[in-house]
């Protein structure tokens, strides 16, 4: 058991060292892209937490990512030059002026119906808080509704899928307040204690890298607690867990909310480097892609799902930018997923766990139990 623990700890430490040393190679453009990959790595870990450990296949994870992204983008939009130069007492997004009725007030409070929602986002830290708090509250309410009614399996996937599609429709229809299909662009920089986080700077990259490290460590510690053990028992047999007296809906809701918090954080950090927020974050294809990342990396391993998300996005970027493959890159990614499911049912994490057992002859049964679901 000690050998397993040491192996797991060493794997995490090697990964942490790799992402912290990454700025030593490559240019600023590559560093900006790598920071985006780390945000996707958080999403992979969030999927592993619910799907791999709780047995909850959420096809609407993009909803929480999108909320986090838009919360941050709203604050940065109000901090942009175009919003500050509209001649009003408060910053006003330029698209609101374009959509305003003739003769309408140019104040943020009432330039368009619902624009008052933007007022608190003049504080960037309010945007940070809402990026995490709103997904947690929404996930908590959904969790109590879904799991409290003993809804499970594919029905959870259908409900979450419908919710993310509904949220996207609402976001696009609210054109005067959200800029609809165009999303939020032309954003300002996030400022911490007077220091601006340039999307291409080393500082911004390290903020995201450290955030990912904290997320991975806390998630790993969380699943190792008694609550994590109960959750895995629930995943294996919900009936048995209920018979033993555990409040299964409460455990499921809690981990569902934690996963939403991670996704909201990932969305918020992604906006810092991508400099936009788009309704495409709430597309079904994006939420399904997260599931693919976790499946390839190993949904039963938090670190494995994170690495899977990073690797898949790296391959996607490389293939999509290759002229000979530009028309077929989606088919290639689909082929990678099919091959991974057939030949690596436990993902890359399960594959390397098996190789470790054969090479080192140590007891990796606890690791295999994580990667089997």
């Amino acid at each position: 058991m000690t050998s397993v623990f040491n192996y797991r700890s060493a794997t995490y430490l090697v990964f942490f060292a790799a992402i912290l040393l990454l700025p030593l190679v490559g240019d600023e453009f590559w560093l900006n892209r790598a920071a985006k990959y780390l945000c996707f790595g958080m999403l992979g870990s969030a999927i592993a937490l619910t799907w791999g450990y709780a047995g909850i296949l959420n096809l609407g994870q993009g909803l929480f990512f999108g909320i986090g992204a838009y919360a941050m983008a709203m604050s940065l939009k109000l901090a942009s030059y175009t919003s500050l130069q509209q001649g009003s007492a408060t910053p006003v997004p330029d698209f609101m002026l374009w959509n305003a009725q003739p003769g309408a007030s140019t104040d943020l409070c009432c330039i368009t119906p619902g624009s008052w929602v933007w007022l608190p986002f003049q504080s960037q830290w309010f945007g940070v808080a809402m990026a995490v708090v709103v997904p947690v509250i929404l996930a908590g309410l959904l969790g109590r509704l879904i799991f409290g009614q003993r809804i499970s399996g594919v029905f959870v996937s259908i409900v979450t899928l419908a919710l993310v599609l509904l949220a996207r429709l609402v976001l696009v229809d609210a054109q005067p307040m959200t800029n609809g299909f165009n999303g939020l662009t032309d954003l300002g920089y996030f400022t911490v204690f007077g220091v601006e986080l340039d999307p291409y700077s080393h500082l911004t990259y390290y903020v995201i890298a450290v955030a990912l490290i904290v997320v991975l460590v806390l998630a790993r510690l969380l699943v190792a607690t008694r609550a994590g053990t109960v959750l895995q028992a629930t995943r294996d047999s919900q009936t048995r867990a209920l018979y033993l007296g555990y409040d299964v809906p409460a455990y499921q809701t809690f981990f569902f909310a934690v996963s939403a918090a991670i996704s909201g954080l990932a969305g918020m950090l992604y906006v810092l480097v991508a400099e936009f927020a788009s309704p495409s974050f709430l597309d079904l294809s994006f939420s399904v892609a997260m599931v693919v990342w976790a499946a390839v990396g190993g949904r039963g391993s938090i670190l494995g799902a994170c690495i899977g998300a990073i690797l898949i996005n790296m391959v996607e970027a490389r293939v999509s930018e290759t002229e000979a493959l530009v028309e077929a890159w989606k088919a290639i990614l689909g082929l990678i997923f099919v091959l991974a499911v057939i030949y690596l049912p436990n993902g890359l994490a399960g594959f390397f766990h098996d190789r470790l057992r054969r090479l080192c002859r140590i007891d990796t049964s606890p690791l295999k139990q994580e990667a089997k679901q």
Side-chain angles (χ1 to χ4, degrees), residues 19-336:
I19 63 175
L20 291 176
L21 294 175
L22 190 61
L24 299 180
V25 297
D27 55 17
E28 292 180 345
F29 176 79
W30 160 246
L31 197 63
N32 176 269
R33 176 174 286 185
K36 297 175 185 176
Y37 297 156
L38 297 188
C39 293
F40 292 145
M42 291 188 201
L43 284 175
S45 299
I47 291 291
L49 195 62
T50 52
W51 189 24
Y53 284 87
I56 302 168
L57 179 55
N58 180 5
L59 291 181
Q61 199 76 19
L63 172 62
F64 306 126
F65 180 87
I67 291 174
Y70 266 85
M72 186 76 266
M74 288 169 70
S75 284
L76 297 185
K77 181 64 177 177
L78 293 178
S80 68
Y81 176 81
T82 55
S83 298
L84 294 170
Q85 300 298 316
Q86 302 301 340
S88 59
T90 56
V92 179
D94 47 11
F95 67 84
M96 287 190 179
L97 291 174
W98 305 337
N99 290 281
Q101 296 295 325
S105 170
T106 58
D107 289 330
L108 186 59
C109 66
C110 39
I111 187 172
T112 189
S115 60
W116 55 268
V117 173
W118 282 68
L119 287 172
F121 287 92
Q122 294 178 79
S123 167
Q124 293 187 351
W125 288 109
F126 181 82
V128 171
M130 291 300 99
V132 177
V133 172
V134 174
V136 168
I137 293 175
L138 181 58
L141 294 175
L142 290 175
R144 294 306 297 179
L145 177 63
I146 295 174
F147 307 124
Q149 297 297 321
R150 299 290 192 270
I151 298 175
S152 61
V154 68
F155 300 105
V156 175
S157 302
I158 293 174
V159 171
T160 53
L161 181 153
L163 286 173
V164 73
L165 293 179
L166 176 62
R168 186 184 186 279
L169 288 175
V170 172
L171 185 67
V172 171
D173 286 343
Q175 164 75 26
M177 193 172 68
T178 64
N179 207 24
F181 283 108
N182 299 315
L184 301 180
T185 57
D186 191 20
L187 309 181
Y189 290 167
F190 186 78
T191 304
V192 181
F193 305 119
V195 179
E196 290 186 339
L197 296 184
D198 187 317
Y200 295 90
S201 70
H202 285 61
L203 176 60
T204 302
Y205 173 84
Y206 277 120
V207 167
I208 294 175
V210 170
L212 175 60
I213 291 173
V214 171
V215 165
L216 290 175
V217 170
L218 293 181
R220 181 64 254 173
L221 293 175
L222 180 60
V223 297
T225 62
R226 181 174 179 271
T229 302
V230 172
L231 188 74
Q232 294 173 69
T234 300
R235 173 200 62 195
D236 297 335
S237 177
Q238 184 170 329
T239 302
R240 180 173 57 190
L242 288 169
Y243 178 77
L244 292 174
Y246 293 111
D247 188 351
V248 171
Y251 282 101
Q252 292 175 320
T253 300
F254 173 73
F255 278 85
F256 191 63
V258 171
S259 176
I262 295 173
S263 299
L265 176 64
M268 178 194 73
L269 295 174
Y270 184 82
V271 167
L272 295 183
V273 289
E275 299 183 273
F276 75 94
S278 168
S280 62
F281 296 162
L282 281 74
D283 283 347
L284 175 60
S285 59
F286 185 51
S287 291
V288 172
M290 300 178 199
V291 175
V292 174
W293 304 340
V296 172
R299 59 172 174 164
S301 169
I302 292 175
L303 180 59
C306 173
I307 295 175
I310 294 173
L311 291 179
I312 288 295
N313 280 280
M314 290 177 64
V315 171
E316 178 180 337
R318 177 67 64 178
V319 172
S320 64
E321 293 173 356
T322 303
E323 184 176 355
L325 302 174
V326 68
E327 297 296 333
W329 65 272
K330 287 188 177 181
I332 293 174
L333 289 177
L335 179 62
I336 292 175

